[in-house]
Amino acid sequence: MFSKDMHVSLLLDFYGDILPERRYEMTSLYYNDDLSLSEIADICGISRQGVRDAVKKSELELRELEEKLGLAARFAAVRAQLDDISSNIEDISENVGESESAQLRSIAAALKDMNI
């Protein structure tokens, strides 16, 4: 059995729609639903080796897409920057007047509402 690279689950969120539907389904069942290769083989009506090959092919394709496009990496960078901004806003809001503090809290809440 091969070990799961959970980064693939994130890549599946970004690029999964590009995969053929059947391979997407098998890869999602493996990474997102944590089913075994044998369980997926039973569901899909193919051999365990067939599932393994499909999942490995999907992993390779997803990694190649990330290498070329870098969407997941950019998303992570933006998320980290937003977290830093939110933290800085909270620090600043402690050292200003009530009116300014309320405005800063409103900005911090808007950043959190972005769900990034």
Side-chain angles (χ1 to χ4, degrees), residues 11 15-20 23 54-68:
L11 297 179
Y15 306 110
D17 290 339
I18 296 172
L19 297 174
R23 274 200 293 129
V55 170
K56 282 297 193 184
K57 187 172 184 177
S58 293
E59 288 174 357
L60 179 64
E61 194 170 332
L62 292 168
R63 286 189 179 100
E64 287 174 352
L65 285 165
E66 176 60 13
E67 187 176 311
K68 290 176 184 174

Side-chain angles (χ1 to χ4, degrees), residues 18-32:
I18 296 172
L19 297 174
E21 186 175 339
R22 188 155 167 88
R23 274 200 293 129
Y24 170 82
E25 178 185 351
M26 286 186 267
T27 307
S28 179
L29 288 170
Y30 184 72
Y31 281 101
N32 296 333

Side-chain angles (χ1 to χ4, degrees), residues 79-98:
R79 185 177 203 160
Q81 289 173 336
L82 287 174
D83 288 345
D84 286 345
I85 291 169
S86 292
S87 177
N88 288 334
I89 288 172
E90 289 174 18
D91 291 345
I92 292 169
S93 70
E94 294 173 1
N95 299 312
V96 295
E98 184 56 37

